[in-house]
Amino acid sequence: MNNKALIDKLNTEKHLSKDEWMTLFDTWDEDDRKYAASIAKTIAQRIYGNKIYIRGIVEFSNICRNDCYYCGIRRSNTDVSRYCLTEDEILGCCDEGYGLGFRTFVLQSGEHILKPEQVADVVKKIKKAHPDCAVTLSLGEEEYETYKLWREAGADRYLLRHETANEAHYKKLHPENMSWQHRMDCLKNLKKLGYQTGAGIMVGSPYQTNECLADDMRFFESFKPEMIGIGPFLPHKDTPFKDEPKGSYELTLFLLSLCRILLPSVLLPATTALGTIHLKGREEGVLAGANVIMPNLSPTAVRKKYMLYDNKICTGDESAQCRGCLERRMKAIGYEIEISRGDHNDKICDIR
Ligand code: SAH
């Protein structure tokens, strides 16, 4: 079967075998990528029209207990000036975001900064101030009871990239005290608690093979995340992976399209890392099937301190500038920003 036939098969059956995925990743070319993008774009438009959902990210702290080899805010990086926003500052970012049309706030940080109760308190206050908004958390791995507390406080969604569905690969990206099984268990717990759950990977992370990518696609097929975060790996100068090559832009676009074809209604952002690796990354991400963008709502004063990788874009901007810039960028390719919570809804995927 040639690659276009494999992509067609994925579209009709929503499944490929591990061998078929590996064949596709071993042999794809630009033509195949464009073919997948055109199918993915059509699916996204059928489900979401020309509307793009926006989420405002508040990167409220860069303090982290973990030491992931790829990440710029890892514990061992002593060159980072650590910060944690106060509750009032976080709420202030959300208020500003609300005025700019955001109806989803994503709270992201390193791990284990605030007590679980403090996070629950912030979530409750955001929901009280803005009852028409969704709150997404992206605070890493926690125990079931903590996720439950946050869910009961009103959190709607949770982003926790699985990073890789291949356990041996996971071990090459993380120190020994971190466990692939625990991360996978966290994802299952999040789903069980009724969060709209996001998994995802970095494309081209060190030691990633086509077999890893096949495992990732098969994981997406079985886990059916409501959201998938995919961006290229980008090195950070103060990490063990500083000399590793960045991920492939084209492969990232190809994977976005394959995810859209596999899970038609998935919420799929054109990520900041994709916008960092290429000037038109977010536009091309949308044209490859993405339907979400997540501009930064953090105070400008701390943005440069939340550097997961080198040269991250938009770190000098005000939130309003980012909002305006994205609106223009999306208009230029025929899309409109939608002002709504933008929930996942798999019923709409039946509309043909
Ligand atoms: N601590 C939280 C969230 C912060 S990191 C957590 O672990 O879930 C958010 C995501 O950024 C990570 O899941 C990872 O996939 C991505 N990331 C980290 N370092 C990166 C790098 N060097 N290049 C590209 N993406 C990176």
Side-chain angles (χ1 to χ4, degrees):
M1 216 186 280
N2 68 27
N3 288 341
K4 291 199 178 65
L6 283 176
I7 294 165
D8 286 338
K9 181 175 173 190
L10 175 66
N11 192 20
T12 50
E13 297 182 18
K14 307 298 174 198
H15 167 81
L16 292 182
S17 70
K18 182 158 175 174
D19 281 348
E20 287 171 328
W21 280 119
M22 284 181 62
T23 304
L24 191 57
F25 292 130
D26 284 341
T27 61
W28 67 280
D29 62 15
E30 272 297 283
D31 233 32
D32 301 326
R33 180 179 75 75
K34 287 180 184 150
Y35 184 70
S38 76
I39 295 175
K41 184 181 158 204
T42 305
I43 295 173
Q45 291 203 340
R46 191 184 78 220
I47 296 175
Y48 295 107
N50 68 338
K51 301 279 196 267
I52 297 297
Y53 294 154
I54 51 170
R55 313 340 189 157
I57 304 200
V58 183
E59 298 159 336
F60 71 82
S61 173
N62 64 357
I63 302 168
C64 193
R65 64 176 175 148
N66 284 338
D67 224 9
C68 309
Y69 300 148
Y70 45 84
C71 183
I73 62 169
R74 63 199 299 267
R75 187 184 65 215
S76 303
N77 186 2
T78 50
D79 277 351
V80 179
S81 148
R82 305 285 172 173
Y83 72 91
C84 185
L85 300 183
T86 64
E87 191 174 280
D88 282 349
E89 285 171 324
I90 299 172
L91 293 169
C93 293
C94 297
D95 291 345
E96 186 186 4
Y98 191 88
L100 292 169
F102 289 96
R103 296 296 177 266
T104 290
F105 304 113
V106 181
L107 303 187
Q108 194 180 78
S109 69
E111 295 200 22
H112 270 229
I113 312 99
L114 300 178
K115 292 203 182 80
E117 295 73 24
Q118 289 177 294
V119 174
D121 206 46
V122 176
V123 172
K124 279 185 200 153
K125 287 189 173 145
I126 297 174
K127 296 293 278 197
K128 187 156 183 236
H130 304 293
D132 53 339
C133 292
V135 171
T136 304
L137 298 177
S138 180
L139 313 179
E141 296 176 38
E142 290 291 345
E143 295 313 310
Y144 183 86
E145 287 309 315
T146 303
Y147 286 152
K148 186 161 176 269
L149 180 78
W150 296 345
R151 179 85 182 111
E152 285 166 359
D156 303 274
R157 311 188 189 120
Y158 204 102
L159 299 175
L160 184 75
R161 291 188 180 177
H162 65 292
E163 312 297 358
T164 171
N166 182 298
E167 187 168 9
H169 182 215
Y170 187 90
K171 289 200 169 104
K172 294 181 176 169
L173 301 177
H174 302 94
E176 232 167 70
N177 68 330
M178 291 181 72
S179 134
W180 176 82
Q181 193 56 56
H182 188 256
R183 203 158 181 95
M184 287 302 190
D185 290 345
C186 284
L187 281 165
K188 284 186 200 126
N189 286 339
L190 290 163
K191 265 232 161 160
K192 199 163 142 191
L193 286 161
Y195 285 94
Q196 293 171 45
T197 303
I201 60 164
M202 292 172 286
V203 178
S205 60
Y207 310 106
Q208 184 177 69
T209 61
N210 289 339
E211 182 175 8
C212 297
L213 292 176
D215 290 341
D216 289 322
M217 295 309 294
R218 285 163 61 79
F219 170 68
F220 290 142
E221 184 195 330
S222 61
F223 185 69
K224 298 195 177 15
E226 283 80 16
M227 309 176 279
I228 296 182
I230 293 186
F233 162 74
L234 297 166
H236 184 289
K237 62 180 176 29
D238 302 318
T239 64
F241 289 162
K242 63 179 188 306
D243 297 321
E244 297 289 336
K246 58 188 178 193
S248 153
Y249 175 57
E250 289 77 15
L251 179 55
T252 308
L253 292 172
F254 189 38
L255 282 163
L256 286 174
S257 299
L258 296 173
C259 286
R260 171 64 66 208
I261 298 171
L262 175 68
L263 297 170
S265 58
V266 73
L267 297 166
L268 192 64
T271 56
T272 307
L274 190 64
T276 299
I277 200 173
H278 194 287
L279 210 65
K280 289 270 186 264
R282 284 166 299 175
E283 289 90 328
E284 291 199 49
V286 166
L287 296 172
N291 73 313
V292 174
I293 35 179
M294 303 173 67
N296 204 318
L297 276 184
S298 309
T300 313
V302 302
R303 287 189 185 195
K304 283 195 171 52
K305 299 179 183 171
Y306 200 85
M307 281 287 183
L308 307 179
Y309 43 81
D310 293 333
N311 305 315
K312 188 174 159 208
I313 50 169
C314 308
T315 56
D317 298 344
E318 302 283 344
S319 300
Q321 283 175 297
C322 284
R323 172 70 173 81
C325 164
L326 282 169
E327 174 118 41
R328 282 191 298 281
R329 282 171 181 265
M330 291 302 119
K331 269 213 174 110
I333 56 166
Y335 286 78
E336 267 171 39
I337 284 175
E338 167 149 318
I339 297 184
S340 77
R341 284 172 46 121
D343 284 299
H344 180 265
N345 180 355
D346 53 10
K347 292 190 190 72
I348 46 185
C349 103
D350 297 333
I351 306 165
R352 299 264 159 177

